[in-house]
Amino acid sequence: MWWRTPWLRQRRLLLGLALFDTLLLLGTYNSLFLQRFDRWAGVTGSIVGLVGLWVGVSYLLGRYSKPDQGQRDSQRRHLGATAVVALLVLAVVVVVLNWGLKVEDPRTFRNFILPLLAAVTLASGTAQLVVTRLLSRRQAWMLVGEAAELDVVQRELERDGGQPLLELHYGDCRALASDFETILLTVDGIAVSEAAELDDALLQKLLARRERGASVCSLVIWAEHHLQRVPPELFSSRWLLQADGFELQPNRWGWRLKRLGDLIVASLLLVVTAPILVIAAIAIRFEDGGGILYRQKRTGLYGEAIEVWKLRTMCQEAEARGARWASRNDPRVTLVGNTLRRLRIDELPQLIAVLKGEMSLIGPRPERPEIEDTLEQQIQHYRVRHWVRPGLSGWAQVCYPYGASIEDSRMKLSYDLYYLRNAGLMLDILILIKTIRLLARARGAQPVSCQLPSRADFKTMHRAP
């Protein structure tokens, strides 16, 4: 079920904090209102606006995001963010309503807003501290599999800068069977590779421990929970035929619901952003007198070719020598184009492709066929990403920076595979919210090449004997 998906299980405490803030504001607001005016306010437009402002600013400042790897620094940062949220809410209420709009309301400032925000900040900050400490608890895991698979996991963790909150032990089935009871006393869970050859005795031991509540799962599931992606080397083609998930298939209820949402939201976005598109078109034409739109061939659902339109952000002869990867501070990008890219305005014409059914709002980003020919040869299971419609935004886009290499494409595929396995309405909403935060911060539009640290720098993990 959707509430058991890895992305939601990883964020239960954070979602609980957002719900706690909502109920805290509602309760404190009504308590103060009762004290001041001898009656309950209930749920009014004012309290809804206040809750929306508090929760929205908290999300943008990262209060509902997982803590950083440094526990103490993360606690201070989140507590500081709580105080900043209170100050920003206070500024909006006082400056906009009292000074700007000259609203005469007995609930504002000294007798109402100040005690309200003081109480909410204290309680929410305390809850934030508790949640951060719970999320910063160290876990020990035993990863069981073939040497090549465990090496893939180790490299993935290296790429993330290590996982200080994880104490990992590596070994094969023989190492697990020879010291099973001791290992169980020292770890919180065991993750076993799909390719691991378990004899009947070891399998019975693992099943018995799982029935008693111990954490025993596959290596793919472990990667989903702790990496939030699925490295393509960890599963086989046979596993793809048998695995759960992959619910976004034609004629299913989820597929139809997603398509209906695409039509409604894309239509609204086109209407709302029409003035922005007009201004952008004028700026592009004024800068160099060239064309406004840029047409590209991309790969769509089931590998079929589609044609997408984007606002032109590069000089007119940018690909006179053929298609090539974008680069950081690419000299082909125009001055206007740089701004359009940072705010993702250049992607808005692709809403037409969404209305035509060639794309979706959320899904793997479509790649150019001439580049995909190389990617399919060098990246295992690359074509699996074509099982759903490509999207304007996706799990890879909100979790990984702009990619411009084969290794970046492999990383994005691991996020796309995670999305295909866990796709649903709730995950699409999460991606949409994360996309809005990226746009608000004008981030993710510059390519960042993926470079791995050396093994000498990776000192937090060891292989079990």
Side-chain angles (χ1 to χ4, degrees), residues 176-177 180-181 184 190 192 197-212 214 216:
L176 178 61
F180 187 79
E181 297 300 330
L184 283 180
I190 299 175
V192 184
E197 296 183 2
L198 300 174
D199 58 37
D200 290 341
L202 182 56
L203 180 59
Q204 291 299 324
K205 290 180 180 180
L206 289 172
L207 290 175
R209 291 294 177 177
R210 186 174 183 179
E211 289 175 357
R212 297 174 190 172
V216 180

Side-chain angles (χ1 to χ4, degrees), residues 231-258:
E233 297 86 358
L234 293 187
F235 59 87
S236 64
S237 300
R238 178 176 295 179
W239 176 85
L240 284 173
L241 297 176
Q242 302 171 347
D244 293 330
F246 305 103
E247 297 295 331
L248 284 182
Q249 297 300 315
N251 299 322
R252 291 196 178 187
W253 182 81
W255 178 281
R256 295 191 182 97
L257 180 63
K258 184 177 176 68

Side-chain angles (χ1 to χ4, degrees), residues 107-145:
R107 293 172 294 177
T108 57
F109 203 56
R110 182 177 302 175
N111 294 326
F112 197 89
I113 292 298
L114 279 183
L116 171 66
L117 292 180
V120 170
T121 301
L122 180 61
S124 183
T126 302
Q128 178 86 68
L129 183 62
V130 173
V131 168
T132 303
R133 286 184 175 178
L134 289 174
L135 290 175
S136 299
R137 186 178 68 87
R138 190 176 179 86
Q139 290 185 337
W141 279 83
M142 176 72 176
L143 306 186
V144 181

Side-chain angles (χ1 to χ4, degrees), residues 328-405:
R328 189 170 183 83
N329 299 319
D330 198 320
R332 298 175 298 168
V333 179
T334 64
L335 184 62
V336 172
N338 184 57
T339 301
L340 297 180
R341 285 189 168 209
R342 287 178 63 86
L343 299 176
R344 308 296 177 91
I345 295 174
D346 62 314
E347 309 281 356
L348 290 177
Q350 294 179 50
L351 291 170
I352 300 297
V354 175
L355 295 178
K356 292 168 62 178
E358 296 174 340
M359 292 181 63
S360 175
L361 291 173
I362 305 297
R365 283 293 295 158
E367 190 52 85
R368 305 179 69 172
E370 54 268 36
I371 293 178
E372 280 202 323
D373 291 340
T374 301
L375 298 178
E376 289 176 8
Q377 296 174 10
Q378 301 198 28
I379 302 176
Q380 194 173 0
H381 304 303
Y382 185 83
R383 291 192 64 85
V384 175
R385 71 195 302 271
H386 297 150
W387 285 5
V388 296
R389 286 191 184 98
L392 269 69
S393 183
W395 188 242
Q397 280 62 49
V398 299
C399 294
Y400 190 77
Y402 190 107
S405 69

Side-chain angles (χ1 to χ4, degrees), residues 72-282:
R72 293 183 179 178
D73 292 339
S74 180
Q75 289 177 1
R76 288 196 294 266
R77 184 176 66 82
H78 281 85
L79 288 176
T82 306
V84 172
V85 170
L87 291 175
L88 289 175
V89 172
L90 179 64
V92 170
V93 172
V94 175
V95 175
V96 175
L97 296 183
N98 287 67
W99 299 351
L101 301 179
K102 304 294 184 182
V103 176
E104 296 293 336
D105 195 319
R107 293 172 294 177
T108 57
F109 203 56
R110 182 177 302 175
N111 294 326
F112 197 89
I113 292 298
L114 279 183
L116 171 66
L117 292 180
V120 170
T121 301
L122 180 61
S124 183
T126 302
Q128 178 86 68
L129 183 62
V130 173
V131 168
T132 303
R133 286 184 175 178
L134 289 174
L135 290 175
S136 299
R137 186 178 68 87
R138 190 176 179 86
Q139 290 185 337
W141 279 83
M142 176 72 176
L143 306 186
V144 181
E146 300 298 326
E149 295 173 312
L150 298 180
D151 191 56
V152 168
V153 174
Q154 205 166 6
R155 290 201 311 269
E156 295 299 312
L157 292 167
E158 289 175 5
R159 182 178 285 108
D160 288 348
Q163 292 279 356
L165 301 180
L166 289 175
E167 178 186 339
L168 299 180
H169 307 266
Y170 300 87
D172 55 21
C173 293
R174 288 173 297 179
L176 178 61
S178 63
D179 204 10
F180 187 79
E181 297 300 330
T182 303
I183 289 174
L184 283 180
L185 294 175
T186 58
V187 300
D188 297 301
I190 299 175
V192 184
S193 162
E194 300 284 340
E197 296 183 2
L198 300 174
D199 58 37
D200 290 341
L202 182 56
L203 180 59
Q204 291 299 324
K205 290 180 180 180
L206 289 172
L207 290 175
R209 291 294 177 177
R210 186 174 183 179
E211 289 175 357
R212 297 174 190 172
S215 295
V216 180
C217 65
S218 71
L219 198 56
V220 172
I221 298 297
W222 183 90
E224 285 188 328
H225 280 274
H226 294 279
L227 299 176
Q228 299 285 278
R229 60 180 185 269
V230 182
E233 297 86 358
L234 293 187
F235 59 87
S236 64
S237 300
R238 178 176 295 179
W239 176 85
L240 284 173
L241 297 176
Q242 302 171 347
D244 293 330
F246 305 103
E247 297 295 331
L248 284 182
Q249 297 300 315
N251 299 322
R252 291 196 178 187
W253 182 81
W255 178 281
R256 295 191 182 97
L257 180 63
K258 184 177 176 68
R259 179 60 185 150
L260 178 62
D262 286 341
L263 289 172
I264 295 173
V265 177
S267 300
L268 292 175
L269 283 176
L270 274 176
V271 173
V272 172
T273 60
I276 299 175
L277 286 169
V278 172
I279 295 173
I282 294 173

